[in-house]
Amino acid sequence: MNEPQAKRREPLWHIELAVVFAIVLQLTIAQELTIGPKYLIAIMEVMLLVALRVIAPVTHDIASHIKRLAGLLLTAIISFANITSLLLVLQYLIEGNHLTGKQLIFSAFAIYLTNMVIFGLWYWELDGGGHGGRGTHLPPVDFLFPQMTAPATVTQQPYWQPTFMDYLFISITNGTAFSPTDAMPLTHRAKFLMSIQALVSLSTIALVAARAINILV
């Protein structure tokens, strides 16, 4: 008998690549639009990412808790830095500043893309207990995917479990449509996170990008 998909370990390289992408995007934001030295923040994030890579093979319970806490901390740091950058952009736009329209547009675009990546990480970290807990069928399950209700003959995966790409898709569609598409949020925390993401995306598009284009004109 094949090992159930729920028991198989999801490869982590694509999550690590997403984190690196988010860090690179943050480095493209103008220094005036970051809460502190952006390279120092990036170094802290890279150190956490390296630490997670080092302890990833360890399966001890204590190590699993440390990995989960470190992953949540890394996600929280990137989220805080990104939302703070958005607030600083809005402040600069309201009060007036010496930043060029191009700087504002590029910074807004970086914030927008980082927002998608980071909320994909939040959904992946929290749903069903996260990477280590998914597949145990213990509550809370935060998202209902269509594959969960589809017959195995359709999915060709009788033990289907969502991976990071599924959560990234939720984040991208929520960040562009400002609403859930294929996967429905089931818990209050999932709805709260999706609401925050939609508000950040809407603020970035409607306020920052529009005002920056006006500056260019």
Side-chain angles (χ1 to χ4, degrees):
M1 176 182 263
N2 292 332
E3 184 183 9
Q5 183 72 17
K7 300 297 183 182
R8 295 175 186 167
R9 284 290 179 182
E10 178 185 0
L12 298 179
W13 65 266
H14 49 299
I15 292 95
E16 295 167 344
L17 183 62
V19 173
V20 170
F21 181 62
I23 294 173
V24 171
L25 284 173
Q26 288 185 320
L27 291 176
T28 66
I29 297 175
Q31 179 61 61
E32 295 87 345
L33 302 176
T34 60
I35 193 172
K38 61 182 180 180
Y39 290 101
L40 179 60
I41 296 172
I43 290 172
M44 291 172 54
E45 294 167 347
V46 169
M47 289 176 63
L48 273 172
L49 183 62
V50 171
L52 283 168
R53 164 47 61 184
V54 171
I55 63 176
V58 183
T59 58
H60 192 275
D61 288 344
I62 295 178
S64 297
H65 287 300
I66 293 175
K67 284 187 287 186
R68 180 163 173 75
L69 290 175
L72 290 171
L73 177 60
L74 176 59
T75 308
I77 291 174
I78 301 176
S79 299
F80 178 76
N82 198 53
I83 293 177
T84 302
S85 292
L86 174 60
L87 294 176
L88 289 173
V89 170
L90 296 176
Q91 180 182 358
Y92 267 76
L93 288 173
I94 293 172
E95 297 179 355
N97 63 90
H98 60 279
L99 294 177
T100 66
K102 287 184 178 180
Q103 284 179 304
L104 289 173
I105 288 178
F106 290 146
S107 296
F109 189 61
I111 291 170
Y112 182 69
L113 291 180
T114 305
N115 186 52
M116 292 184 181
V117 174
I118 202 62
F119 275 93
L121 288 169
W122 274 121
Y123 304 147
W124 178 80
E125 288 276 9
L126 295 176
D127 184 35
H131 174 60
R134 247 183 316 275
T136 60
H137 304 292
L138 295 176
V141 175
D142 296 277
F143 293 97
L144 178 66
F145 290 87
Q147 292 92 331
M148 292 177 174
T149 57
T153 54
V154 174
T155 63
Q156 297 297 312
Q157 299 179 65
Y159 301 102
W160 186 89
Q161 289 292 329
T163 64
F164 175 69
M165 294 306 298
D166 297 292
Y167 296 107
L168 182 60
F169 180 74
I170 293 177
S171 183
I172 291 173
T173 54
N174 187 54
T176 53
F178 313 122
S179 63
T181 53
D182 67 326
M184 294 294 108
L186 300 179
T187 62
H188 288 167
R189 68 180 182 183
K191 294 175 182 178
F192 175 76
L193 284 173
M194 293 190 76
S195 299
I196 294 298
Q197 183 191 8
L199 288 172
V200 171
S201 295
L202 182 61
S203 299
T204 306
I205 293 174
L207 299 177
V208 179
R211 182 67 180 273
I213 292 174
N214 289 336
I215 292 175
L216 283 177
V217 176

